[in-house]
Amino acid sequence: MKTVVISPGIATYGAMLIGGVVREAGHEVALSTSLAAGDAEAVLLSLYSTQHLMDPEMKAFVASVRASGRPVYIGGPVSAYPEYVLGELAPDAVVVGEGEATVPRLLAGGIHPDLPGVAYVDGGKTVVTPPAPPAPVERPLPLIPDAIGQQSIRGANAYIETHRGCTGACTFCQVPRFFGREIRSRGLEEIREEVRAFREKGATRLSVSGGTGSLYGYDGAIDNDAVIALLEMLAEELGPRNVSAPDIRVDAITDEILEAIQKYTIGWLFFGFESGSDRILRQMGKGVTVAQMHDAVEQSRQHGLKVAGCFIVGYPTETAEDYTATKDFIAAEMLDDVFISVAEPIPRTPLADLVLRTPHPENPVFAPHEGEYRSLRLTEAEARWFDLSQHADMYKPLLHVVTDEVFSLYLSEARKQGEDVRRVTALIEKYDR
Ligand code: SF4
């Protein structure tokens, strides 16, 4: 069967992976980043953002493909809340959770109540079949697009999956809920073969994905040797300054791993700090303290690494004092780079439950900001995003000047993030009724 796997905007690893599985099952398959079905007989949409569910173009595309008599199946991270996908986009079916086993069966036999891991509407009722078992980590080579060398996701052509799952339980995160808290690591030689396939297609810079890069080989404890062997192999294949290992938990580092990151990668660490307040860290289920965060920064710098941090503002219970603590942390640590998000309640996460229990006037994403940016008519969460972006620039080791252009850019991004999160909030409220 002629199929197309579409991941809007970027060729995600998940879409490439499903493309490879479909090819292995004997189908003719193309990968696309735009909403175009061409002459495909079936369309697989791989969606990675809740925002996709509210995109009018996406809705129109699904409707037009179905009107032409061809099936549309939707998978990817949004499949964790299948009722939302069916309600908003009305595909033929949702492939729930890991799709490697389900998608080929769906293409071969169509929708069936005995097929595990699907959701669909039958006679006006939503049917969700029992979950498919976790997919084996061994799988065929992904379907890598010819233009992979031109793609840049935070500087990498692609994020490759070395393991699945995360031992963490952060309230805002989907990773442990989608992939589980057990770590399933792929074989080193299989990853090497995949890296070579990426290289042959023109990729030069790859990043290690997964919730926490240093959990590769984890089996109840961090496996220094496995992580070092992985990074060494990647550097052998790509060159030492073409690999990055982002998103590492502050409690998942060792001197040996930091040494290997220094030796085999671009030399940056990306920590998900999220907040400088112990109270908020506890509420987020981060499982670490501000003191541990500080120690991790110090330890990383002792190995000559640059340290970037991700932060979340506008968590429903974040007070002005909590926010000030985040600013103090950033000022004290002089981070090399900072990424900020407004807290987004991904459906079916504990954060989504908390947002549903929080009246709008008490939720910083809705509450109007009454402080120094009052004239800009921002909500409290937007004002914190805007303020923290400028604050972080002031405390970076290299001087960043906030020009008028940067000011406008920050302002529009703050408003966009607030608006996006309010749209997701409206969506979870709709399905909570
Ligand atoms: S450590 Fe990272 S991947 Fe793991 S649950 Fe927390 S945010 Fe998600």
Side-chain angles (χ1 to χ4, degrees):
M1 183 187 283
K2 257 192 164 178
T3 58
V4 60
V5 181
I6 301 173
S7 59
I10 50 171
T12 61
Y13 183 85
M16 292 186 237
L17 170 58
I18 290 299
V21 168
V22 171
R23 176 175 58 190
E24 177 83 357
H27 301 283
E28 193 181 320
V29 56
L31 203 66
S32 174
T33 55
S34 56
L35 297 178
D39 60 355
E41 297 159 81
V43 172
L44 297 160
L45 265 176
S46 178
L47 304 184
Y48 48 87
S49 164
T50 312
Q51 299 295 332
H52 291 145
L53 305 188
M54 296 169 284
D55 178 354
E57 269 184 57
M58 190 75 68
K59 282 185 198 193
F61 173 70
V62 173
S64 72
V65 176
R66 291 195 70 194
S68 70
R70 298 173 290 175
V72 179
Y73 304 124
I74 295 181
V78 301
S79 72
Y81 28 98
E83 297 88 347
Y84 291 56
V85 185
L86 291 168
E88 297 303 304
L89 296 179
D92 289 83
V94 177
V95 176
V96 182
E98 297 176 343
E100 289 94 324
T102 310
V103 168
R105 292 182 66 187
L106 195 53
L107 290 175
I111 301 161
H112 194 277
D114 293 336
L115 176 62
V118 289
Y120 56 95
V121 176
D122 187 16
K125 287 215 166 96
T126 299
V127 178
V128 184
T129 65
V137 284
E138 299 81 25
R139 63 301 187 73
L141 282 173
L143 182 67
I144 304 166
D146 292 334
I148 193 70
Q150 276 96 62
Q151 177 161 281
S152 175
I153 310 169
R154 269 162 72 179
N157 299 130
Y159 279 53
I160 58 161
E161 186 182 66
T162 57
H163 57 284
R164 276 190 181 172
C166 181
T167 53
C170 305
T171 53
F172 52 85
C173 178
Q174 205 186 9
V175 171
R177 292 161 189 96
F178 196 88
F179 290 124
R181 295 183 73 186
E182 294 274 314
I183 305 299
R184 289 169 282 155
S185 299
R186 301 175 63 200
L188 198 64
E189 287 314 307
E190 195 188 319
I191 302 171
R192 185 193 294 273
E193 199 191 336
E194 188 172 290
V195 170
R196 287 182 177 167
F198 270 99
R199 211 180 52 200
E200 278 161 25
K201 283 281 190 173
T204 52
R205 300 191 98 185
L206 294 177
S207 187
V208 175
S209 85
T212 279
S214 62
L215 291 181
Y216 180 69
Y218 183 95
D219 188 12
I222 298 283
D223 186 337
N224 281 330
D225 292 346
V227 180
I228 294 165
L230 172 71
L231 296 176
E232 187 178 10
M233 179 278 284
L234 291 171
E236 262 169 37
E237 297 297 329
L238 294 161
R241 293 291 172 247
N242 292 316
V243 178
S244 54
D247 303 336
I248 290 184
R249 279 182 66 93
V250 299
D251 59 356
I253 54 171
T254 64
D255 282 317
E256 292 82 356
I257 288 175
L258 293 175
E259 190 61 39
I261 291 174
Q262 211 288 325
K263 197 166 163 192
Y264 300 122
T265 78
I266 60 170
W268 280 76
L269 269 173
F270 298 80
F271 287 123
F273 294 125
E274 325 304 0
S275 173
S277 155
D278 277 321
R279 194 184 78 90
I280 289 293
L281 290 174
R282 270 195 306 278
Q283 294 192 6
M284 286 178 170
K286 282 300 292 183
V288 297
T289 61
V290 176
Q292 281 174 287
M293 285 160 36
H294 167 76
D295 290 348
V297 175
E298 291 280 294
Q299 198 181 350
S300 305
R301 291 219 163 111
Q302 278 161 15
H303 289 272
L305 292 162
K306 292 202 185 277
V307 180
C310 300
F311 294 87
I312 290 174
V313 291
Y315 200 76
T317 51
E318 183 186 62
T319 62
E321 291 71 34
D322 296 318
Y323 174 63
T324 302
T326 298
K327 289 181 79 169
D328 291 347
F329 178 80
I330 288 176
E333 303 301 335
M334 299 280 288
L335 300 171
D336 295 282
D337 210 351
V338 166
F339 301 90
I340 306 161
S341 315
V342 172
E344 178 179 333
I346 296 175
R348 303 273 151 74
T349 57
L351 171 57
D353 294 339
L354 176 61
V355 166
L356 287 169
R357 294 197 307 271
T358 307
H360 285 193
E362 291 169 28
N363 183 340
V365 171
F366 291 89
H369 171 68
E370 305 287 0
E372 72 172 293
Y373 305 112
R374 194 171 177 187
S375 62
L376 297 173
R377 300 167 73 85
L378 301 170
T379 65
E380 188 52 36
E382 290 165 0
R384 287 179 192 171
W385 192 97
F386 181 64
D387 182 61
L388 199 60
S389 299
Q390 296 174 77
H391 175 80
D393 279 351
M394 270 194 320
Y395 289 96
K396 282 175 190 159
L398 289 175
L399 185 67
H400 287 247
V401 181
V402 180
T403 58
D404 286 353
E405 199 183 345
V406 172
F407 184 92
S408 303
L409 204 75
Y410 284 170
L411 190 56
S412 66
E413 180 60 23
R415 288 190 170 124
K416 181 182 178 306
Q417 289 222 8
E419 186 53 38
D420 284 352
V421 171
R422 282 190 292 279
R423 273 154 46 94
V424 174
T425 305
L427 189 73
I428 61 172
E429 286 170 346
K430 177 176 164 184
Y431 285 89
D432 185 52
R433 275 183 219 134

